[in-house]
């Protein structure tokens, strides 16, 4: 955050400060990172104002996740830059500053007022952002005069053509716990005589979605609008290649299969319809090796 603040100041931001996170500390008592606010003004007095959102925090990364180089050392390989956050979301965040820097160096005035709002808690649920937006939207505050918002935290659908994302499906996250007894049990001694939480949990989770990616939760599609002919036509001109997608998603050398064999249905599954993913499971033992605990 401090590095990015200094970069903004170097580029001549008319306003730049680190706003303390309104929530202050997390549930474990750790201090939460501030929110960076900066503004670069256009020369025109009546210029519109766009606020660009991004986040500077990242997901954890380890070499055994499949990285070919240190994820926290930006590495160039085959004309591409590899590093945690290079696409999500430090690279896109920096791109706004590079655009401003290019205008400065070329002597071009900014066509709009640019405000930046960068957070450091997106990967942890954006703790404090909702409270910050409420505060900053009040009369005379940082966000009150914003005409447009641009979220630079999304992806291209290929490697050849940029895209503008104008809508997202949204996100809901849930966790579930199943308990079978008051303490760990030895599977060699007790297995087969009591209900096992891990077995029940796997059975429960497997009932949510089938092998074709179809969600089996009753009513999940009730609020999804039916496709229209006009909407279906939009997909015909989208530049998207299924084989390239297999390579990019790293399934080509494993199963070489996707859930759909045509562009329209696959993109609709990614963008239009709800999906259900299982992100993790823990039982009596989750470490390396074998342990006879249930």
């Amino acid at each position: 955050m401090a590095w990015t603040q200094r970069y903004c100041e170097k580029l001549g931001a008319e306003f730049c400060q680190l706003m303390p996170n309104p929530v202050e500390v997390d549930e474990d008592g750790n201090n939460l990172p501030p929110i960076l606010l900066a503004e670069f003004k256009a020369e025109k007095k009546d210029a519109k104002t766009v606020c660009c959102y991004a986040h500077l925090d990242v997901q954890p990364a380890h070499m055994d996740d499949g990285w070919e180089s240190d994820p926290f050392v930006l590495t160039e390989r085959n004309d591409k830059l590899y590093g945690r956050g290079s696409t999500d979301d430090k690279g896109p965040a920096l791109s706004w500053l590079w655009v401003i820097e290019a205008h400065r160096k070329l002597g071009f005035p900014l066509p709009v007022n640019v405000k930046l709002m960068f957070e450091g808690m997106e990967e942890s649920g954006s703790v404090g952002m909702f409270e910050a937006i409420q505060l900053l939207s009040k009369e005379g505050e940082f966000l009150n005069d914003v005409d447009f918002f641009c979220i630079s935290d999304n992806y291209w659908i290929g490697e050849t053509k940029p895209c503008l994302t104008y809508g997202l499906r949204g996100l809901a996250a849930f966790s579930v716990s199943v308990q079978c007894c008051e303490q760990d049990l030895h599977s060699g001694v007790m297995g087969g005589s009591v209900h096992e939480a891990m077995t029940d949990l796997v059975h429960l989770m497997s009932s949510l979605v089938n092998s074709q990616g179809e969600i089996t939760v009753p009513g999940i599609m009730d609020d999804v609008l039916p496709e229209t002919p006009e909407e279906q036509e939009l997909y015909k001109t989208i530049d998207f290649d299924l084989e390239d997608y297999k390579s990019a998603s790293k399934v080509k050398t494993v199963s070489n299969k996707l859930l759909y064999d045509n562009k329209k249905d696959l993109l609709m599954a990614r963008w239009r319809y709800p999906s259900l993913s299982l992100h993790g499971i823990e039982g009596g033992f989750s470490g390396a090796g074998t342990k006879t605990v249930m």
Side-chain angles (χ1 to χ4, degrees):
M1 283 292 181
W3 183 93
T4 311
Q5 180 187 27
R6 291 193 297 271
Y7 199 162
C8 291
E9 292 170 344
K10 174 185 174 183
L11 294 177
E14 284 80 2
F15 173 83
C16 187
Q17 73 173 36
L18 295 177
M19 173 187 181
N21 193 301
V23 177
E24 297 183 357
V25 297
D26 63 15
E27 57 188 17
D28 297 320
N30 300 309
N31 292 325
L32 297 180
I35 298 167
L36 174 66
L37 306 175
E39 181 175 10
F40 299 86
K41 289 186 175 294
E43 290 184 0
K44 293 173 57 178
K45 297 300 182 183
D46 60 346
K48 298 289 187 179
T49 299
V50 58
C51 181
C52 306
Y53 164 87
H55 65 92
L56 302 180
D57 57 316
V58 297
Q59 288 277 351
H62 305 281
M63 287 296 295
D64 56 11
D65 292 336
W67 290 85
E68 296 183 18
S69 55
D70 188 333
F72 292 100
V73 176
L74 191 63
T75 303
E76 183 175 356
R77 191 165 60 249
N78 299 325
D79 296 325
K80 296 180 180 179
L81 294 174
Y82 293 86
R84 175 58 89 211
S86 58
T87 59
D88 183 15
D89 187 34
K90 293 180 180 180
L94 276 173
S95 295
W96 291 114
L97 299 179
W98 292 333
V99 167
I100 294 168
E101 184 173 13
H103 278 74
R104 295 281 197 260
K105 289 185 175 181
L106 295 172
F108 294 152
L110 291 173
V112 294
N113 300 311
V114 178
K115 291 190 174 185
L116 304 179
M117 190 175 190
F118 292 174
E119 68 162 316
M121 287 295 294
E122 193 271 348
E123 301 289 4
S124 302
S126 290
V127 179
M129 272 295 288
F130 299 103
E131 293 82 355
I133 291 171
Q134 287 181 323
L135 292 171
L136 296 172
S137 298
K138 294 180 179 178
E139 185 69 31
E141 296 296 332
F142 183 75
L143 296 176
N144 186 251
D145 62 346
V146 171
D147 298 292
F148 309 101
F149 283 89
C150 186
I151 301 175
S152 53
D153 186 16
N154 219 295
Y155 298 90
W156 294 11
I157 59 172
E159 297 183 356
T160 59
K161 183 181 292 187
C163 61
L164 292 175
T165 300
Y166 57 86
L168 297 170
R169 291 183 292 188
L171 171 70
F174 305 92
S175 61
V176 60
S177 297
V178 176
Q179 182 177 356
C180 66
C181 58
E182 297 178 355
Q183 66 181 39
D184 289 348
L185 299 178
H186 192 295
S187 62
V189 176
M190 305 295 291
S193 65
V194 298
H195 290 286
E196 296 191 27
M198 181 68 88
T199 303
D200 290 347
L201 181 59
V202 170
H203 176 74
L204 175 64
M205 296 175 76
S206 68
S207 70
L208 300 176
V209 60
N210 64 27
S211 60
Q212 298 304 307
E214 298 168 338
I215 303 174
T216 56
V217 178
I220 191 68
M221 300 294 290
D222 289 353
D223 294 328
V224 179
L225 296 176
E227 300 171 16
T228 65
E230 294 79 12
E231 180 185 5
Q232 293 176 351
E233 284 295 315
L234 295 174
Y235 288 85
K236 292 183 178 179
T237 59
I238 294 177
D239 184 9
F240 182 80
D241 184 84
L242 290 174
E243 294 302 316
D244 289 344
Y245 186 67
K246 288 180 184 179
S247 298
S249 59
K250 304 300 182 183
V251 304
K252 195 175 186 70
T253 58
V254 182
S255 66
N256 197 31
K257 293 181 180 179
L258 300 169
L259 288 176
Y260 301 91
D261 59 6
N262 66 85
K263 175 176 67 175
K264 179 180 75 68
D265 289 345
L266 188 141
L267 291 178
M268 281 192 169
R270 283 187 66 187
W271 297 342
R272 190 188 197 280
Y273 290 105
S275 64
L276 192 152
S277 301
L278 306 178
H279 292 132
I281 186 169
E282 292 185 14
F285 177 66
S286 301
T290 303
K291 187 176 181 181
T292 53
V293 62
M294 63 182 192

